[in-house]
Amino acid sequence: MDTGDRLLTPGEVAALFRVDPKTVTRWAAAGRIGSIRTPGGHRRFRESEVRALLEGDGVVEEMREDDAANRPRNAGPSNPGLGYGPPNGLR
């Protein structure tokens, strides 16, 4: 069944959304974006669906916010007593 729709790799989709390719893979695993599998097991994304998300209905922004909320940046360790800086008694 050839619809004439080009298939994009996770890297190509990631570049369009300005996210990491792993993020695109997580979106697909969570059902937030449709994907198909190649015979080798790799994910591919229909260009028409990706373009529709980019142009539109607010789903992409929601995904970006969810992803950012679940992945703090430069927040340091989750336990302030472990990790960076001097031990607790020396602060």
Side-chain angles (χ1 to χ4, degrees):
M1 176 174 100
D2 183 19
T3 62
D5 205 3
R6 184 169 164 244
L7 297 177
L8 304 176
T9 66
E12 292 170 322
V13 175
L16 292 169
F17 285 102
R18 296 184 182 163
V19 297
D20 191 89
K22 259 316 199 202
T23 299
V24 176
T25 301
R26 282 193 299 271
W27 289 346
R32 293 178 171 183
I33 185 171
S35 69
I36 60 170
R37 295 283 186 137
T38 67
H42 300 280
R43 290 188 191 272
R44 295 295 182 263
F45 303 87
R46 287 186 175 85
E47 184 176 29
S48 60
E49 182 179 350
V50 171
R51 296 280 177 199
L53 288 171
L54 278 170
E55 292 171 3
D57 53 23
V59 174
V60 174
E61 290 305 316
E62 177 183 316
M63 286 189 283
R64 282 186 183 160
E65 289 171 14
D66 287 350
D67 190 50
N70 293 326
R71 187 172 31 116
R73 295 183 185 249
N74 301 322
S78 59
N79 181 346
L82 301 174
Y84 310 112
N88 283 339
L90 299 177
R91 289 180 193 218

